Amino acid sequence: MKKIGLLFIAGLFTLGLAAQNVDAGTYHLGATSDLSFAMNMSSAEDSESSTTMNMSLQGGYFPIDNMVAGLQLGYSSYSMGDVSNSSFGYGVYTRYYLMEGKI
């Protein structure tokens, strides 16, 4: 029950942050990352481990009030034993922030 209450409070806090007015001419920067390790053991002699890494960067500009347009870059890497794979991606994004009372 405590976890549900904490999740509810965090959700309200996040909604409060999203309801801010953003003026034209402002820049938007953001980044995310994820690194994980996993090991699977089926017997004492046979074990496999894997590593996964994801990173994302965002940068944008507010051309008008409450609307951002920008570029997103991403990198992903995965390795397990002798097998490894990595990828790079990019894209554009736009986001419009609705103010409180507009919905």
Side-chain angles (χ1 to χ4, degrees):
M1 189 65 174
K2 288 181 183 180
K3 290 181 183 180
I4 293 173
L6 182 60
L7 183 64
F8 180 74
I9 291 170
L12 288 176
F13 182 73
T14 304
L15 287 175
L17 290 177
Q20 297 175 7
N21 189 15
V22 183
D23 296 329
T26 306
Y27 291 96
H28 173 260
L29 296 174
T32 61
S33 65
D34 177 30
L35 180 62
S36 63
F37 300 98
M39 179 175 279
N40 298 323
M41 298 180 70
S42 57
S43 68
E45 298 173 6
D46 184 25
S47 65
E48 291 188 3
S49 63
S50 64
T51 305
T52 304
M53 180 180 68
N54 298 306
M55 292 189 301
S56 176
L57 299 172
Q58 296 176 348
Y61 180 75
F62 284 83
I64 62 173
D65 289 350
N66 304 323
M67 187 185 119
V68 64
L71 179 67
Q72 181 174 5
L73 303 172
Y75 175 76
S76 178
S77 175
Y78 173 79
S79 66
M80 182 172 181
D82 294 338
V83 177
S84 64
N85 184 20
S86 63
S87 62
F88 176 77
Y90 60 92
V92 295
Y93 71 95
T94 184
R95 188 176 301 151
Y96 186 79
Y97 294 91
L98 296 174
M99 296 299 101
E100 191 173 340
K102 298 280 183 172
I103 298 179

